[in-house]
Protein backbone atom coordinates (compact mmCIF):
# COMPACT_ATOMS: atom_id res chain seq x y z
CA UNK A 1 0.00 0.00 0.00
CA UNK A 2 1.06 3.61 -0.38
CA UNK A 3 1.97 5.76 2.59
CA UNK A 4 -0.96 8.06 3.36
CA UNK A 5 -3.41 5.94 1.36
CA UNK A 6 -6.53 4.82 3.23
CA UNK A 7 -7.09 1.08 2.94
CA UNK A 8 -10.13 -0.91 4.03
CA UNK A 9 -9.48 -4.52 5.03
CA UNK A 10 -12.31 -7.02 5.33
CA UNK A 11 -11.15 -10.13 7.19
CA UNK A 12 -13.07 -13.35 7.83
CA UNK A 13 -12.24 -16.47 9.84
CA UNK A 14 -13.84 -19.63 8.52
CA UNK A 15 -12.89 -22.04 11.30
CA UNK A 16 -12.14 -20.70 14.81
CA UNK A 17 -11.66 -17.35 16.52
CA UNK A 18 -8.47 -15.66 15.41
CA UNK A 19 -6.99 -12.30 16.32
CA UNK A 20 -5.35 -9.76 14.03
CA UNK A 21 -2.67 -7.67 15.73
CA UNK A 22 -0.58 -5.11 13.84
CA UNK A 23 0.69 -2.55 16.33
CA UNK A 24 2.32 -0.03 13.91
CA UNK A 25 -1.02 0.43 12.13
CA UNK A 26 -3.07 0.38 15.37
CA UNK A 27 -4.91 -2.83 14.46
CA UNK A 28 -6.01 -5.11 17.31
CA UNK A 29 -9.16 -7.05 16.53
CA UNK A 30 -10.88 -10.34 17.26
CA UNK A 31 -12.13 -12.41 14.34
CA UNK A 32 -14.91 -14.75 15.49
CA UNK A 33 -15.52 -17.79 13.30
CA UNK A 34 -17.93 -17.12 10.45
CA UNK A 35 -18.01 -13.34 10.88
CA UNK A 36 -16.49 -10.65 8.67
CA UNK A 37 -14.76 -7.74 10.39
CA UNK A 38 -13.63 -4.50 8.77
CA UNK A 39 -10.75 -2.23 9.70
CA UNK A 40 -9.65 0.97 7.96
CA UNK A 41 -6.00 2.04 8.14
CA UNK A 42 -4.03 4.97 6.78
CA UNK A 43 -0.32 4.19 7.15
CA UNK A 44 1.74 7.26 8.00
CA UNK A 45 5.19 5.63 7.80
CA UNK A 46 6.83 3.55 5.09
CA UNK A 47 8.10 0.12 6.08
CA UNK A 48 7.41 -3.59 6.22
CA UNK A 49 5.16 -4.67 9.07
CA UNK A 50 4.18 -8.13 10.27
CA UNK A 51 0.73 -8.86 11.65
CA UNK A 52 0.19 -11.87 13.90
CA UNK A 53 -2.73 -13.90 15.21
CA UNK A 54 -3.00 -13.07 18.90
CA UNK A 55 -5.48 -15.80 19.84
CA UNK A 56 -4.23 -19.35 20.19
CA UNK A 57 -6.12 -21.07 17.39
CA UNK A 58 -4.54 -24.50 16.96
CA UNK A 59 -1.44 -26.28 15.73
CA UNK A 60 -0.58 -23.73 13.02
CA UNK A 61 -0.97 -20.70 15.27
CA UNK A 62 2.75 -19.84 15.50
CA UNK A 63 3.06 -19.67 11.72
CA UNK A 64 0.17 -17.29 11.14
CA UNK A 65 1.77 -14.10 9.84
CA UNK A 66 0.66 -11.37 7.44
CA UNK A 67 3.14 -8.99 5.86
CA UNK A 68 2.08 -5.44 5.05
CA UNK A 69 4.43 -3.35 2.90
CA UNK A 70 3.94 0.40 2.98
CA UNK A 71 5.83 2.33 0.29
Amino acid sequence: VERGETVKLVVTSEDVTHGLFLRPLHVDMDLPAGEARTVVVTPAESGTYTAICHHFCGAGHGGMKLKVIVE
Side-chain angles (χ1 to χ4, degrees):
V1 297
E2 297 293 324
R3 182 173 46 110
E5 174 184 13
T6 299
V7 178
K8 177 179 166 182
L9 302 172
V10 180
V11 188
T12 304
S13 170
E14 294 181 359
D15 51 5
V16 298
T17 297
H18 293 279
L20 180 63
F21 182 68
L22 182 56
R23 180 173 294 178
L25 298 181
H26 310 288
V27 175
D28 184 0
M29 61 192 305
D30 294 328
L31 304 168
E35 295 183 24
R37 295 288 169 102
T38 301
V39 63
V40 177
V41 297
T42 305
E45 303 283 332
S46 297
T48 299
Y49 307 107
T50 302
I52 62 168
C53 176
H54 64 55
H55 283 283
F56 181 75
C57 55
H61 173 73
M64 296 190 73
K65 306 260 189 288
L66 169 71
K67 185 186 294 187
V68 177
I69 301 169
V70 180
E71 300 179 336

